[in-house]
Amino acid sequence: MRTTTVIVGAGHAGLAMSRCLTERSIDHVILERGEVANSWKTERWDSLRLLTPNWQSRLPGYGYEGDDPDGYRTMPETIAFIERYAEVIAAPVRTNTKVTSVRLEAGRYTVRTDQGEWQSRTVVLATGACNIPQIPALAEAVPSTIATLTPIQYRNPAQLADGGVLVVGASATGVQIADEIHRCGRPVTLAVGAHIRAPRVYRGRDIEWWMDAAGILDERYDAIEDINRARNVPSLQLAGYPDRRSVDLNSLTAIGVKLVGRLAGIRDGKAQFSGSLMNQVARSDLKMNRLLDTIDEWAAGSGIDGEVAASHRFEPTRVEASPPLSMNLGSGEIRTIIWATGFRPDYCWLDTPVLDRKGRIRHDGGVVDAPGMYLMGMQFMRRRKSALMDGAGNDARDLSAHLASYLDGQGAGSRRARGPSSRQNHLPDIATP
Ligand SMILES: Cc1cc2nc3c(=O)[nH]c(=O)nc-3n(C[C@H](O)[C@H](O)[C@H](O)COP(=O)(O)OP(=O)(O)OC[C@H]3O[C@@H](n4cnc5c(N)ncnc54)[C@H](O)[C@@H]3O)c2cc1C
């Protein structure tokens, strides 16, 4: 089978690219190993809500028009939102089609799948940034009496054995899971490494509203001094709770969660924690205050100061002066460990030599280091918001323009889809709850 562009992955990023290619009459197909919105259907825990407000899921030609723009979508709502997008843009998705190899041969891509082979001139990799949970090597030393879970395996507290839980990692995933499990009656210890504290609401507005309005989320990859570092910054400590409460280390200790430093090693059945907890939280408070300073400066400069609540600062994070530096994992106190230590993409199926020595794709703002290959949905790929739903639109517009000129440069008279309907070419903008 032949097409001009193969998009791999039918999450919101692949769909946003599809919509932009359709607008340009570029013939394409989306190959998806599961169903549309597969990651949200199969890899998220039950109670998860988006931490971005409803208004902040603007996709090309599609957005939120319900009566709760400041609310946070549940998983079923998120899935329905993405499924509806695929429907209204008439996305050419082939579901249950797993891509097993992408190879560049004589200027064309051969895309092998478990449902046959495709030939294309261009490929868009939209397979997501969070395919594989990152588990530290020290996990191998966890005693066999303790169950271990990744956030992709975790569904709800009922699935855990009675008894204590050690959650490793205190970014968005770790703090939300720690909060939920502790509230359900299992005592939680949280191992805290580098993290970024952020209030849900500041000066009466959602923190995401501030970062959007002040242009922070639109910062470009080529305007950042150390982009590799920026791409590895952990997610903000945020949750989309309906009551808009913040989740941070203070809120967790207030309900009884015990904080320890970063899990640094496991020896002879003993977990060893770094003594840097105090420094970690001080650094995190400092970063939060810098963010709030930037917001305040923008508010003063933009004339919005009078419309919002007064500037203020939050109570510093409280930690014990001498938190425990070790814990006997054989004592029965801890029955489960959850690795909330981040995610990484999976490119084991990609046979094009575009990975660097750390296994990351070599690309310049999503233009991959292979002719006609593009990337979507990675952390800070073109903009700070690239991995968020709200970031896919601008990235897809930029990269589809690049892809179109790449095809034109190749004299690709054939790039126009044969007879795309005018309905597909001039899709109306859609708003949906
Ligand atoms: C816990 C968590 C919470 C998040 N919360 C938010 C939030 O509140 N707001 C927000 O904007 N973003 C959030 N994100 C980030 C981001 O929106 C998601 O990671 C999102 O799923 C990324 O969209 P995507 O389209 O790039 O990738 P995905 O949604 O992961 O889509 C990739 C698709 O590719 C398919 N695929 C993978 N490999 C293959 C293959 N070999 N062949 C065929 N198909 C393949 C997958 O099945 C999947 O459907 C969150 C992420 C996580 C992990």
Side-chain angles (χ1 to χ4, degrees), residues 8-15 31-40 42-45 48-52 56-57 75 82 97-100 126-131 151 173 176 343 346 349 376-378 386-391:
V8 191
H12 72 262
L15 295 171
L31 305 180
E32 166 55 54
R33 65 181 170 186
E35 295 172 8
V36 168
N38 194 51
S39 304
W40 300 104
T42 62
E43 298 177 356
R44 308 282 188 258
W45 62 96
L48 179 66
R49 283 173 179 263
L50 291 194
L51 48 76
T52 43
Q56 202 186 15
S57 298
M75 282 306 96
I82 297 173
T97 304
K98 182 175 182 173
V99 172
T100 53
T127 45
C130 302
N131 311 117
T173 297
Q176 288 182 43
F343 300 91
D346 179 11
W349 44 274
M376 282 289 294
M378 291 299 120
S386 283
L388 295 179
M389 230 176 252
D390 202 44

Side-chain angles (χ1 to χ4, degrees), residues 114-136:
D114 57 3
Q115 305 292 328
E117 193 174 289
W118 287 81
Q119 301 283 329
S120 69
R121 311 183 63 175
T122 51
V123 170
V124 178
L125 312 174
T127 45
C130 302
N131 311 117
I132 303 181
Q134 251 169 338
I135 302 176

Side-chain angles (χ1 to χ4, degrees), residues 138-148 164-168 189 191 260 263-273 325-339:
L138 55 79
E140 284 181 12
V142 172
S144 57
T145 48
I146 294 185
T148 61
V165 179
L166 173 63
V167 177
V168 184
T189 302
V260 291
L263 179 60
I266 300 176
R267 190 170 297 164
D268 302 330
K270 268 194 173 173
Q272 297 163 332
F273 303 111
L325 294 178
S326 70
M327 175 191 267
N328 182 359
L329 294 176
S331 70
E333 184 189 342
I334 296 293
R335 302 287 308 281
T336 309
I337 296 180
I338 298 184
W339 303 109

Side-chain angles (χ1 to χ4, degrees), residues 55-193:
W55 58 262
Q56 202 186 15
S57 298
R58 297 164 291 201
L59 290 163
Y62 190 66
Y64 181 79
E65 268 220 341
D67 54 9
D68 187 20
D70 295 323
Y72 310 98
R73 282 193 189 88
T74 60
M75 282 306 96
E77 288 165 350
T78 305
I79 292 163
F81 179 78
I82 297 173
E83 283 182 333
R84 176 99 181 101
Y85 186 45
E87 245 172 68
V88 294
I89 65 170
V93 186
R94 303 265 179 135
T95 54
N96 300 308
T97 304
K98 182 175 182 173
V99 172
T100 53
S101 148
V102 174
R103 195 180 286 255
L104 182 59
E105 289 164 336
R108 281 185 177 273
Y109 287 97
T110 302
V111 180
R112 293 208 171 87
T113 80
D114 57 3
Q115 305 292 328
E117 193 174 289
W118 287 81
Q119 301 283 329
S120 69
R121 311 183 63 175
T122 51
V123 170
V124 178
L125 312 174
T127 45
C130 302
N131 311 117
I132 303 181
Q134 251 169 338
I135 302 176
L138 55 79
E140 284 181 12
V142 172
S144 57
T145 48
I146 294 185
T148 61
L149 284 178
T150 68
I152 288 183
Q153 296 163 325
Y154 174 75
R155 287 290 171 273
N156 54 58
Q159 148 197 32
L160 310 181
D162 284 339
V165 179
L166 173 63
V167 177
V168 184
S171 293
T173 297
V175 293
Q176 288 182 43
I177 290 179
D179 187 69
E180 167 167 276
I181 294 175
H182 195 87
R183 285 175 192 276
C184 285
R186 286 173 180 72
V188 170
T189 302
L190 180 64
V192 180

Side-chain angles (χ1 to χ4, degrees), residues 317-363:
T317 303
R318 300 177 302 267
V319 286
E320 271 181 67
S322 310
L325 294 178
S326 70
M327 175 191 267
N328 182 359
L329 294 176
S331 70
E333 184 189 342
I334 296 293
R335 302 287 308 281
T336 309
I337 296 180
I338 298 184
W339 303 109
T341 33
F343 300 91
R344 63 185 168 85
D346 179 11
Y347 298 122
C348 67
W349 44 274
L350 189 59
D351 291 325
T352 318
V354 291
L355 301 186
D356 67 15
R357 63 192 165 78
K358 290 192 170 168
R360 297 171 304 204
I361 298 229
R362 290 194 310 273
H363 70 96

